[in-house]
Amino acid sequence: RGQLAYLLKLDQVSSREEAEEMKGTSLLVKTDEREKLDGDSEFYVQDLLGLQVRVKEGDAFTEVGRVVDLYDGTGAHDTLDIELCEAFATKVKPSWGERQQFKGKGKGKAKLCVLVPFAREIVPVVDTGKGFCEINPPEGLLEACVYKKK
């Protein structure tokens, strides 16, 4: 009760018993067979993961990091989880560079991340074809939403 459910009809499954046998099975769809979305405002999660994130500073863009996750239903908007690159991490949290080392990506290495609302006002440009998105965070947002992830 109260849970989201989908009704799906498969050509090769004709009875309830056959459907029950498939419980827990993963359903995969090839990228080129996915439903087309409104490219300006809708995105598949897997197309956002790994995008380079950048912010405009003056006339140039500065790399912020990469999208590592997307959280659904955390408020009015989805939320991007961005792993900060070393240069930007020390800019957002100067003490980070003194206490942590960004050597390698081995187990146990902490990473500095930031949560950013996935709203057009804050993420005005998303170009999955070119592999980047631009953020325009209000002053203080990145500093307020930064956290360490192991």
Side-chain angles (χ1 to χ4, degrees):
R1 231 179 176 198
Q3 293 182 350
L4 182 61
Y6 295 95
L7 181 60
L8 182 66
K9 171 73 173 127
L10 301 174
D11 290 338
Q12 303 299 319
V13 179
S14 57
S15 72
R16 180 180 183 100
E17 292 75 25
E18 288 176 321
E20 288 288 334
E21 289 176 18
M22 295 188 69
K23 218 176 208 179
T25 301
S26 294
L27 179 64
L28 304 175
V29 177
K30 293 179 182 177
T31 301
D32 60 346
E33 294 177 3
R34 296 182 302 189
E35 181 179 332
K36 298 293 180 205
L37 301 175
D38 177 3
D40 191 37
S41 62
E42 294 180 322
F43 305 95
Y44 285 105
V45 171
Q46 62 267 33
D47 293 342
L48 298 174
L49 300 179
L51 288 183
Q52 178 192 56
V53 181
R54 55 193 195 185
V55 64
K56 191 167 187 174
E57 293 181 333
D59 292 334
F61 287 98
T62 300
E63 182 180 359
V64 172
R66 299 233 173 242
V67 176
V68 293
D69 212 339
L70 180 95
Y71 303 112
D72 181 25
T74 56
H77 304 284
D78 291 339
T79 303
L80 294 177
D81 190 356
I82 301 167
E83 184 179 306
L84 301 178
C85 65
E86 180 179 0
F88 202 82
T90 55
K91 182 187 272 190
V92 170
K93 192 170 178 95
S95 62
W96 178 256
E98 299 163 11
R99 292 190 317 235
Q100 300 291 330
Q101 298 298 317
F102 278 80
K103 294 178 182 172
K105 292 201 177 247
K107 278 191 167 182
K109 298 286 184 185
K111 296 166 181 60
L112 203 59
C113 296
V114 65
L115 298 173
V116 175
F118 191 40
R120 180 152 324 262
E121 302 80 31
I122 298 172
V123 188
V125 177
V126 177
D127 190 329
T128 57
K130 293 184 180 173
F132 73 89
C133 65
E134 296 172 12
I135 61 171
N136 183 22
E139 189 174 332
L141 176 74
L142 299 180
E143 293 81 2
C145 297
V146 71
Y147 74 98
K148 278 194 277 187
K149 179 191 274 187
K150 279 197 171 199

